C-alpha cells in the first residue's frame, strides 16, 4: 500500500526538498503541493491524501486554520494532519491538537524520522512524546473557560480493559509500553485501543487523549503530570 501525502508549505524550496525525500520511499508518494492553507484545504478535498504535512505560518489562511477546517469535515476524516514547523512552542502544539492534528514535529527532524512520522500518522497514531502529551494536553484542557465537549457517561460504552487502555494512552504511553506494563502483545493493545476509538468516535489517538481528559478519566496533577481516576 502506498501512502498518499499532500505537502503544505509557503516555501517552494522546502516543498521541493520534502517532496524529493518522501518520494524516495517505496511506500510514500506526494500527490499534491499547496503554498497556503486555503489551497491545502482545496487540494485535500480533491486528492484525499492519507497525510497532510502542514506548515503553520502561511499567507492568507494559516496551517492551524486549515487543519481545523479539514478535521471538521466528516468526508475528510481519513486525511490526517502532521504539523511540520519551525515554531515548536507549547501554544502552537496546543492549538494544533485542539484543531485536530494527529502529530506535531519540528523542521529540524531527520530524513528517516520524517518518513517514520508520516507512516505513524497514517497508521492512526499520534506523534507526541509522552512528556509533550502529559504537559501540553493538560495545559490546553485546563484552560479557564474551555467548554467541555464530552461527558463522563460517554465512557460507559467501554469495557473496563478498554477504559484502562484509554487512560494509559492519555498518559503518553505507546502501544509497546502499554504492552510491556500489561504483559500483553502490542497487537492486543492496538486492538483494544482501536475498539475504544471506534466506540468513542475518536478520529485518532490525539482525540482519544482529549476525551480521556475531558471526561475526567485522566486528570492533570498540580505538578503538571497526570493522574488516573479509579475505574
Amino acid at each position: 500500500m502506498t501512502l498518499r501525502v499532500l505537502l503544505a508549505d509557503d516555501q517552494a524550496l522546502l516543498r521541493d526538498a520534502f517532496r524529493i525525500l518522501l518520494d524516495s520511499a517505496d511506500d510514500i508518494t506526494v500527490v499534491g503541493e499547496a503554498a497556503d492553507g486555503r489551497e491545502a484545504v482545496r487540494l485535500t478535498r480533491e486528492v484525499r491524501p492519507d497525510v497532510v504535512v502542514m506548515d503553520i505560518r502561511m499567507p492568507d489562511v494559516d496551517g492551524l486554520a486549515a487543519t481545523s477546517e479539514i478535521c471538521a469535515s466528516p468526508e475528510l476524516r481519513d486525511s490526517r494532519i502532521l504539523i511540520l514547523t519551525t515554531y515548536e512552542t507549547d501554544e502552537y502544539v496546543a492549538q494544533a491538537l485542539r484543531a485536530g492534528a494527529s502529530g506535531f514535529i519540528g523542521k529540524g527532524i531527520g530524513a528517516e524520522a520524517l518518513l517514520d512520522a508520516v507512516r505513524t500518522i497514517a497508521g492512526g497514531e499520534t506523534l507526541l512524546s509522552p512528556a509533550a502529551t502529559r504537559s501540553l494536553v493538560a495545559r490546553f484542557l485546563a484552560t479557564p473557560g474551555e467548554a467541555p465537549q464530552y461527558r463522563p457517561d460517554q465512557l460507559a460504552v467501554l469495557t473496563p480493559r478498554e477504559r484502562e487502555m484509554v487512560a494509559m494512552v492519555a498518559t503518553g504511553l505507546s502501544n509497546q509500553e502499554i504492552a510491556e506494563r500489561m504483559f500483553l502483545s502490542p497487537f492486543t493493545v492496538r486492538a483494544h485501543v482501536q475498539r475504544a476509538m471506534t466506540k468513542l468516535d475518536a478520529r485518532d489517538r490525539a482525540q482519544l487523549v482529549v476525551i480521556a481528559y475531558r471526561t475526567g478519566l485522566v486528570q492533570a496533577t498540580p505538578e503538571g503530570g497526570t493522574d488516573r481516576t479509579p475505574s
Side-chain angles (χ1 to χ4, degrees), residues 51-100:
V51 177
V52 180
V53 178
M54 184 87 72
D55 188 21
I56 289 182
R57 292 193 176 183
M58 294 185 289
D60 192 11
V61 175
D62 67 23
L64 294 174
T67 295
S68 182
E69 185 171 348
I70 291 170
C71 293
S73 300
E75 68 271 20
L76 301 180
R77 66 177 292 128
D78 291 332
S79 293
R80 305 186 184 280
I81 309 295
L82 173 61
I83 299 292
L84 179 60
T85 180
T86 304
Y87 307 97
E88 297 181 80
T89 65
D90 288 357
E91 184 57 29
Y92 274 147
V93 178
Q95 290 182 45
L97 284 177
R98 192 181 291 118

Side-chain angles (χ1 to χ4, degrees), residues 60-195:
D60 192 11
V61 175
D62 67 23
L64 294 174
T67 295
S68 182
E69 185 171 348
I70 291 170
C71 293
S73 300
E75 68 271 20
L76 301 180
R77 66 177 292 128
D78 291 332
S79 293
R80 305 186 184 280
I81 309 295
L82 173 61
I83 299 292
L84 179 60
T85 180
T86 304
Y87 307 97
E88 297 181 80
T89 65
D90 288 357
E91 184 57 29
Y92 274 147
V93 178
Q95 290 182 45
L97 284 177
R98 192 181 291 118
S102 297
F104 191 105
I105 56 178
K107 287 183 177 177
I109 193 172
E112 286 302 318
L114 176 58
L115 296 176
D116 288 341
V118 169
R119 296 179 182 117
T120 298
I121 295 303
E125 308 239 4
T126 187
L127 195 69
L128 293 173
S129 69
T133 303
R134 287 192 295 267
S135 63
L136 296 176
V137 174
R139 173 185 171 181
F140 85 80
L141 290 177
T143 301
E146 185 77 25
Q149 299 177 1
Y150 302 97
R151 305 181 312 276
D153 60 6
Q154 289 179 267
L155 297 177
V157 298
L158 303 180
T159 65
R161 177 52 61 89
E162 288 166 353
R163 287 171 63 98
E164 193 170 16
M165 295 292 177
V166 172
M168 291 187 185
V169 168
T171 62
L173 296 178
S174 66
N175 286 352
Q176 182 63 44
E177 291 169 330
I178 295 173
E180 292 172 357
R181 292 192 179 199
M182 300 296 295
F183 301 103
L184 299 170
S185 72
F187 177 81
T188 299
V189 171
R190 181 179 178 83
H192 280 301
V193 173
Q194 291 289 347
R195 281 197 294 271

